[in-house]
Amino acid sequence: MRGVLVIGILGVLGVSASAVPSIIPKDIQLSGPNSFQRVMVVEVDRAGNVSGEVGKVALRAADREVAVVKDGMVVPRGDGRTTIIAKTSDGRLARTVVEVTGFGKESPWSFRNHVQAVLSKNGCNMGACHGAVAGKGGFRLSLRGYDPEADFHTITREARGRRVELGDPARSLVLIKGTTAVKHTGGRRIESDSLDYRVVSEWIASGAAAPVEGDARLEGLEIFPALSMLAPGDEARFIVRARYSDGREEDVTQWAKFTSTNEAVVNVDDDGNAEVIGHGEGAVTAWFSSQVVIGRLSAPFPNEIPDAVYAEAPVRNFVDERVLEQLRRLNLKPSPRTTDAEFIRRAYVDTIGVLPTLAEVRAFLADERPEKRDLLIDELLERPEFVDYWAYRWSDLMLVNGRRLRPEAVKAYYSFIRENVAANTPWDEFAREVVTATGVSSENGATNFFAVHQDPENMAENVSQVFLSLSINCAKCHNHPLEKWTNDQYYAFANLFSRVRAKGWGGDARNGDGLRTLYVEPRGELIQPRTGQPQAPAPLGAEPVAMDLEGDRREVLAEWLTSPENDAFSRSVANRVWANFFGRGLVESVDDLRVSNPASIEPLLDELSGYLVAQDFDLKALMRVILRSETYQRSSEALPENRDEEGFFSRYYPRRMMAEVLHDAVAGITGVSSEFTEVALRDGSTQKTEFYPEGTRAMSLYDSAVKSYFLKTFGRNEREIACEGERSNQPSLVQVLHLSNGDTVNEKLRAKGSIAERATMQFTGQERKAGALVNEAYLMCLSRYPTKEERKGFVAALNDAREGEERDVVEDLYWALMTSREFLFQR
């Protein structure tokens, strides 16, 4: 596939890729007299990229006894096989095969697969209409048709059966309301001469058959074209085909709901007709009967970039290969390599959450070994601060929070996470230990994962969010509106946790030891509210577990979750690690790995995921690959040929340092630590704590309940929900005011023994060596030497200072640097 992609990129750049007409979809299978299949003729290059639909084309079937083509749609005429032939206006030909079976058999419309599709497409069972909790006008349907059995009963049995008239379908309320033959508050939904009307009326006429267990079930969707290469102003349309458990394939374009994942690039209407409106890459999502499929569209930027730019771009590993393929595909020029000064600061902050010291910066900048960046990366991955930083990041994800847990439990929970980071425990082993944890909360810190969310539903949601980056919450009440997860699958997943119990809570937020023992009962089921019966327990999308299985059902879950075949697990953590180093995920946001939210560079996320599996889930190995890549080591300089892109990594994206790193940077430079003496309780009160002695760094505060105005102001993650969105790295006016007038920077500079005092003493004691002082300030704050102009200004201010005023100037120097954009932002 990657080789094909490269050829396609060459074609986009005009190197060599002659487009040929092609009929899509190929290999059409029609089953029964009611079947049909839309087709279109498109231009396709040698890579398989669609570059648009052919304007004028004649379509015909070789054997009209088998099938015919009407208005771009293949319809059956008899069993057999034939060829569909397309001829373009310039004489080029394209062919595909159609096979028809079951033409002489009855093929009635089904309630589950057809009538429900009509109701969903026309909005009848949406939240704004009859799918609302209380319904509309006394008529209530399940939201988006998640409960076919209940909907069938509502339509055929309620209202004295007047909603369907078996003897005269045209008098059925479900039709005369929808066509506004009688007053309908929701307006006209169905045209009387449409396929939708025909489906519902013929279903009623044939006896209004109920949905049964033996109905064919939807197994998957396909979208055509799957990948298009277009330009702003181009139009495209999409065809959606469903595949059922009985082997049938059906054109469901008529009933699919279409949305755009990036409306800055592409818009799409209700019928699957799209228009490209901007440069970049977007996707069209098609939703049908709780299944989702996407078709991607690329619109290259209007840059003229010589092929040599990509051919000569440095490549360190597969990260660079995949990124360069995407940049080449979209006509984006990669920014040059970053400077050593920028790299050391970036690598320190992103990997261990601290700034390099004066001595470390000087040594690195003076080092002339070509491999010095690799050596630095290896060193950082083994530093003790690495453990502090990543234990803190994973504590955000795992919700280590004193407002939810007792102090000893918080400490045990954090210690468990930190010990595993220090041991470089493979991510799959870590996840397995968390998911199957039992024991006392102060002895096995992993048990506190289940103390944060204590009922089966919340346990299931938390596991899914943390380890799969999937929010399944919506499926608790109905089928998920943006994903493939059904209400039944939700309760099957949650039932895996129905036997998890705890005892011995003990004490309130101020008193009691808070010891809690987590254990597993030998019996117990979670009831599915819709059916009143327990749903057979099963991991998401996997086979059910036997209801009478002995032992802990979570063991089955852990086996499925951490399996190398479960790419959702490896993709989730690979995307989180990537986002740490680049400020954004390949899938953004990192907590939202829906099928309908594709990665900006899908082949790269696949390869990162596969690499992690091949490395036995060694996160340090993944980090090393990312850090060594030329992609990570690119400058943040925006070029004219890449300044308008976001998410394709043609450059490093500047971003404000996270709150804890910024705090520790200020404390480290000034040499004055902060005191953390209070924690906030859930009721809004505070409590003294002795867990954090003087000198504790913000990155070592394992409890997010510790009070700190600075950390709160700069967007610390409060760890209330497992969502990266709880952390904010966005600048604000309050932050500006605090840096300018607040006590964090100002008071630390004024404090006894601060860098300002020490530098002033050195300055006045060494015959006013202003240049050296300015150099050191820049190296400490910005990891670089000052420019000639920068140096000149500060040196003049220091030399002009009158006796006794030197410290004021030194404070101003450090204040100016620590409140500068360059200091606050990673570049």
Side-chain angles (χ1 to χ4, degrees), residues 396-471:
D396 279 354
L397 183 64
M398 309 293 284
L399 304 183
V400 181
N401 181 349
R403 287 179 292 272
R404 291 175 171 267
L405 301 168
R406 305 306 189 262
E408 289 299 331
V410 171
K411 190 172 183 179
Y413 197 10
Y414 172 78
S415 295
F416 163 78
I417 295 170
R418 195 179 194 285
E419 288 164 5
N420 278 278
V421 174
N424 194 32
T425 301
W427 187 249
D428 60 334
E429 293 182 19
F430 175 79
R432 177 184 291 276
E433 191 166 354
V434 169
V435 170
T436 62
T438 57
V440 181
S441 59
S442 62
E443 297 174 1
N444 182 2
T447 63
N448 293 290
F449 181 84
F450 294 100
V452 174
H453 297 291
Q454 298 173 26
D455 58 74
E457 295 95 332
N458 282 327
M459 290 177 187
E461 291 172 12
N462 203 34
V463 167
S464 177
Q465 190 70 75
V466 169
F467 293 113
L468 299 173
S469 298
L470 290 174
S471 175

Side-chain angles (χ1 to χ4, degrees), residues 141-332:
L141 296 170
S142 64
L143 188 65
R144 291 179 175 250
Y146 81 91
D147 191 347
E149 290 79 9
D151 289 346
F152 173 81
H153 181 273
T154 298
I155 292 171
T156 62
R157 300 294 186 267
E158 291 183 358
R160 293 177 295 177
R162 293 172 55 237
R163 293 189 178 119
V164 295
E165 291 283 352
L166 300 181
D168 188 358
R171 293 177 54 219
S172 300
L173 277 177
V174 73
L175 286 174
I176 60 176
K177 283 275 192 177
T179 57
T180 62
V182 298
K183 184 179 179 181
H184 181 221
T185 304
R188 182 173 296 173
R189 293 292 170 173
I190 301 176
E191 299 292 341
S192 58
D193 59 350
S194 68
L195 175 62
D196 289 353
Y197 187 95
R198 178 187 159 203
V199 166
V200 178
S201 62
E202 290 184 2
W203 168 72
I204 296 172
S206 64
V212 296
E213 189 62 31
D215 286 341
R217 303 303 174 103
L218 179 66
E219 290 190 336
L221 295 177
E222 295 177 276
I223 192 168
F224 307 94
L227 178 63
S228 301
M229 188 73 71
L230 303 171
D234 286 350
E235 296 181 348
R237 64 187 177 104
F238 291 89
I239 295 171
V240 181
R241 186 165 68 184
R243 183 178 66 257
Y244 290 94
S245 57
D246 60 0
R248 289 183 300 109
E249 293 181 345
E250 286 190 358
D251 184 337
V252 294
T253 310
Q254 173 92 11
W255 303 302
K257 281 186 169 290
F258 297 93
T259 56
S260 171
T261 65
N262 185 353
E263 293 189 344
V265 175
V266 60
N267 284 333
V268 65
D269 66 15
D270 291 341
D271 298 318
N273 300 309
E275 180 185 7
V276 179
I277 60 174
H279 299 287
E281 191 158 272
V284 167
T285 297
W287 177 91
F288 174 77
S289 187
S290 295
Q291 292 277 348
V292 177
V293 66
I294 63 169
R296 301 178 75 100
L297 297 97
S298 296
F301 288 80
N303 302 316
E304 294 185 7
I305 302 174
D307 187 55
V309 169
Y310 304 104
E312 296 171 4
V315 173
R316 185 64 190 275
N317 51 42
F318 68 84
V319 171
D320 302 320
E321 292 172 353
R322 301 295 85 77
V323 171
L324 282 173
E325 287 174 359
Q326 185 74 335
L327 298 184
R328 195 171 197 173
R329 177 182 179 82
L330 294 176
N331 286 348
L332 293 169

